[in-house]
Amino acid sequence: MTKQHWLGFSLAFALGFTQLPACSSDDTLVHTSPDGGAPDGSALDAGGDASPASVTLTILQTTDLHTNVMPWDYFSAKDAKTQGLAKVATLVKRERTECSLLIDSGDTIQGTPLGTYYALKDNAPKHPMAAAMESLKYDAMALGNHEFNYGLGVLNKFIGEVNFPVLSANVRKTDGTEAFKPYVIKEVCGIKVGILGMVTPGVTTWERPENIPGLRFDNPLDTAKEFVPKLRAAGADVVVVSFHSGPDKQPPGNANDPASWLTDYSTWTDRGNLPNENLAVQIAQQVPGIDVILSGHTHQPIPKMLIGDVILSQPNRWGSHLGKVSIGASKASGAWKVVSRDSKLVPVTEDVPVDETVAAAAKSYHETTLAYVDAKIGSSAAVFPNGFPARYTDSALADLINIVQEEAAEANGHKVDLSLAAVFSNNGGIPQGDVKLRDAYSIYVYDNTLYVMEITGDILRKALEKDALYFKTLDAANLPAEPAQCKAMPNGPDFNWDIYSQIAYTIDATKPEGSRVTSLKFKGADVTPTQKLTIAINNYRGGGGGGYDMFKEGTIVWKSADGVRDFVADYVTRLETNHEKLDPAKLNTCNFKLLPDLYSKYFKTTPGPTKCSP
């Protein structure tokens, strides 16, 4: 269809937007007024140009909200005073100008019990994130990998409920046609801004196939090379890529220091990515025509990265920051040119008030979720320590998750030889006394499902050596002052450290990388490379997530329909029905040894000696 451009829009309606459904549909440019209403209907002179000679374009960004609307931690039942969209909304309204855009970079509809409840328990109402985001008048959102966690029915319902376009150019139908809108072009103060949405292709590794039927996830670098020229040809003066993916490497030093993100990229260390998982830097380096990359996925506070002429930022996770990119543009000879670029993160501090409009939109959803997670499901004879005390020894908490997984597999006809589990969170946990649903959920904060896989001893040993890379090489006589400093990446994900059941093994972090597994036995005998073993493992790790590619060499023999954290809740409920309590001393089996003895170094006094670390 021939494009019909309405030009010379009056200054009174200088802020507008243009949506171009790429490759299909009517691509007529339409302008709106700054408040999102319809234009006044008057035709403009095609030769007129009321645009100013220079404009500062403000691009505001959220990402990885993970259904954190209210400043509340559903897992610990405590205020979360430095996060939540309801607080970010206040910052948006402070920072928004006449010449601004608001864009989200994905992982929006999953993450807290709020998201779980309104995806799996009651999906009939309008999605709480759609309701909360509506008043903020987002301009666009890119899909994240977790948008697919509940299947296409839940996702497409959400897309139909929001009042902004949801983009993903590299997700295609298997026949190559569009599955989602790839991009939009919006006109802001006379500047045409092209917004391209993309997601990490790691979805195919992490996600259950039944949640992504008929879809393919193309290489984002190839997709950007295809679509950025299309955006420029369609008239985009500025090109923004909202990309649910981040840098593939970690800067030296403290990643919370803004200066670290401006250091020489060649000095950075690998994050342990899946192939093509995090290509933000490569796209900035190799695809001409991009001005801004709004990144996500890696849950990092990146105020500013400069990669040639491209500026990249990421506002961490859970609504802890608002990203702000400032683009200076000047017009000469009828064409806009970017002349300056800068970015920063605006933090959500305790004194940032909640936006009452967003809070009102979320009120009923929030109250329903509070009631949902507050239900008592069982009792515990003692506290199960969480966080680093549960990671740095053979802990009762890890054993509990592994026992749950073993029993769930056996109940479905698959008795396993071993299981693995990570201690995800430093918050929440199983208390002494009443155990509520939120307590069970707090020890398993992700919507993972359970696999049973057949693996070999070789795969197991490779996985354990990969596991050991969670730690930097340690000196037993000179351990760091803080437990997190023992990690190879102090701010890296704790879900990449697994603790196994049923095998007897030792990991010595004083040894060189690749030779840290100093003992590995099953039923008293050394595990051999060709030995067949069945393992209970979550779908993320079983698909190679976290850089554990060796598990992709195994064979999946069963997949659960239910999530692991629901298996945890069911286990606790079943004990309560039988008038039994959780008991960490009974559940804890000492089959794993970590060297040096980090638990005694950091936690011998508080929380104190345990069964496996006396």
Side-chain angles (χ1 to χ4, degrees):
M1 177 173 288
T2 303
K3 294 182 176 67
Q4 300 172 355
H5 291 184
W6 295 352
L7 302 175
F9 199 46
S10 66
L11 281 176
F13 293 91
L15 174 60
F17 76 87
T18 304
Q19 297 188 17
L20 270 75
C23 309
S24 63
S25 303
D26 187 342
D27 52 0
T28 302
L29 282 172
V30 178
H31 298 264
T32 65
S33 61
D35 63 2
D40 63 6
S42 59
L44 299 172
D45 181 79
D49 188 353
S51 301
S54 62
V55 168
T56 297
L57 173 66
T58 301
I59 304 169
L60 304 176
Q61 181 202 8
T62 57
T63 192
D64 293 272
L65 291 170
H66 285 287
T67 64
N68 285 279
V69 181
M70 300 302 294
W72 182 260
D73 185 340
Y74 293 105
F75 299 115
S76 64
K78 295 179 180 177
D79 285 328
K81 297 180 180 179
T82 57
Q83 68 184 52
L85 182 61
K87 283 199 162 193
V88 172
T90 299
L91 300 180
V92 169
K93 292 178 180 179
R94 289 178 183 175
E95 299 290 342
R96 192 172 241 156
T97 67
E98 183 183 18
C99 302
S100 64
L101 293 165
L102 175 61
I103 301 171
D104 185 80
S105 297
D107 274 9
T108 303
I109 68 172
Q110 174 278 344
T112 71
L114 176 81
T116 302
Y117 185 87
Y118 285 101
L120 301 179
K121 301 297 181 181
D122 184 8
N123 190 232
K126 186 175 187 176
H127 196 281
M129 293 305 294
M133 296 170 83
E134 188 171 54
S135 69
L136 289 174
K137 297 178 181 175
Y138 275 81
D139 292 282
M141 168 188 158
L143 290 176
N145 55 289
H146 283 289
E147 260 66 73
F148 298 92
N149 281 175
Y150 305 119
L152 298 184
V154 172
L155 174 55
N156 287 329
K157 176 178 174 290
F158 168 77
I159 292 173
E161 291 169 344
V162 297
N163 58 353
F164 47 82
V166 178
L167 313 174
S168 201
N170 68 312
V171 184
R172 314 288 289 185
K173 295 179 182 177
T174 50
D175 64 5
T177 59
E178 288 179 11
F180 303 97
K181 186 186 292 291
Y183 67 81
V184 293
I185 295 179
K186 296 205 165 192
E187 187 167 320
V188 183
C189 293
I191 301 174
K192 295 185 179 72
V193 182
I195 307 168
L196 176 67
M198 296 192 296
V199 64
T200 173
V203 176
T204 56
T205 293
W206 307 313
E207 197 53 72
R208 290 182 289 170
E210 58 267 32
N211 284 345
I212 50 174
L215 297 180
R216 75 183 202 206
F217 291 75
D218 292 346
N219 184 316
L221 179 58
D222 295 338
T223 300
K225 288 178 178 178
E226 175 187 354
F227 277 94
V228 171
K230 289 183 178 180
L231 283 164
R232 290 294 184 181
D237 302 304
V238 173
V239 171
V240 177
V241 179
S242 184
F243 188 20
H244 193 78
S245 178
D248 61 330
K249 295 183 178 181
Q250 187 82 2
N254 183 359
N256 290 318
D257 178 4
S260 68
W261 298 101
L262 297 172
T263 57
D264 182 356
Y265 181 71
S266 66
T267 66
W268 295 17
T269 56
D270 188 77
R271 287 178 49 86
N273 312 272
L274 289 175
N276 302 321
E277 178 185 353
N278 288 302
L279 291 177
V281 172
Q282 288 74 16
I283 287 172
Q285 291 172 331
Q286 299 179 39
V287 183
I290 298 173
D291 297 295
V292 180
I293 294 180
L294 305 176
S295 73
H297 182 58
T298 53
H299 290 195
Q300 294 170 302
I302 306 177
K304 177 168 60 177
M305 284 181 65
L306 295 172
I307 308 156
D309 292 332
V310 180
I311 193 164
L312 181 151
S313 67
Q314 183 182 146
N316 207 358
R317 62 179 184 176
W318 303 349
S320 65
H321 297 75
L322 175 69
K324 180 181 179 181
V325 179
S326 300
I327 298 294
S330 294
K331 194 171 189 179
S333 302
W336 287 100
K337 181 180 180 181
V338 173
V339 295
S340 66
R341 50 183 63 81
D342 198 8
S343 64
K344 68 175 185 177
L345 301 184
V346 185
V348 172
T349 59
E350 290 191 12
D351 59 352
V352 172
V354 166
D355 178 79
E356 294 303 327
T357 303
V358 172
K363 184 175 185 294
S364 64
Y365 300 99
H366 178 58
E367 291 174 348
T368 298
T369 305
L370 289 175
Y372 167 60
V373 298
D374 201 44
K376 179 187 174 183
I377 60 171
S379 304
S380 180
V383 172
F384 286 70
N386 200 0
F388 286 109
R391 292 186 196 108
Y392 284 5
T393 187
D394 190 339
S395 66
L397 187 64
D399 282 336
L400 169 60
I401 299 170
N402 279 320
I403 289 168
V404 166
Q405 293 182 163
E406 292 166 8
E407 292 195 1
E410 186 170 5
N412 285 274
H414 299 278
K415 185 172 175 60
V416 297
D417 295 316
L418 68 155
S419 175
L420 66 79
V423 176
F424 293 127
S425 177
N426 294 323
N427 302 314
I430 303 293
Q432 183 176 20
D434 288 351
V435 177
K436 298 184 176 182
L437 182 63
R438 67 164 172 266
D439 302 318
Y441 276 11
S442 76
I443 68 170
Y444 211 100
V445 297
Y446 296 105
D447 288 310
N448 297 136
T449 54
L450 186 64
Y451 284 2
V452 171
M453 297 185 68
E454 185 178 274
I455 63 171
T456 64
D458 181 61
I459 293 172
L460 176 60
R461 183 173 286 276
K462 288 177 180 176
L464 286 168
E465 288 290 358
K466 166 64 180 173
D467 203 24
L469 297 182
Y470 175 80
F471 296 100
K472 64 184 179 183
T473 302
L474 297 173
D475 178 357
N478 188 29
L479 292 173
E482 298 296 331
Q485 295 172 341
C486 294
K487 295 165 57 177
M489 292 191 296
N491 296 302
D494 292 311
F495 58 68
N496 266 357
W497 168 244
D498 296 318
I499 297 177
Y500 290 67
S501 68
Q502 306 302 334
I503 55 172
Y505 68 106
T506 300
I507 288 178
D508 188 343
T510 68
K511 302 289 187 185
E513 294 181 2
S515 59
R516 292 179 173 178
V517 180
T518 58
S519 176
L520 175 57
K521 296 178 182 292
F522 178 65
K523 294 184 177 180
D526 289 339
V527 173
T528 64
T530 58
Q531 186 172 351
K532 301 291 186 182
L533 299 162
T534 55
I535 186 169
I537 184 171
N538 70 47
N539 66 300
Y540 175 80
R541 186 70 80 236
Y548 286 78
D549 289 344
M550 68 290 299
F551 283 120
K552 292 172 16 178
E553 301 171 25
T555 302
I556 300 170
V557 297
W558 176 74
K559 301 178 181 179
S560 73
D562 297 321
V564 175
R565 69 181 178 197
D566 289 314
F567 287 133
V568 174
D570 291 345
Y571 179 87
V572 178
T573 301
R574 189 164 63 252
L575 289 180
E576 181 77 358
T577 301
N578 294 330
H579 307 290
E580 298 178 54
K581 293 183 178 181
L582 288 169
D583 188 335
K586 290 181 180 179
L587 293 174
N588 202 188
T589 55
C590 304
N591 60 290
F592 156 59
K593 181 180 289 187
L594 175 64
L595 299 175
D597 183 359
L598 300 183
Y599 187 91
S600 293
K601 162 70 176 177
Y602 300 108
F603 306 113
K604 192 168 185 177
T605 302
T606 304
T610 68
K611 182 177 178 179
C612 299
S613 294

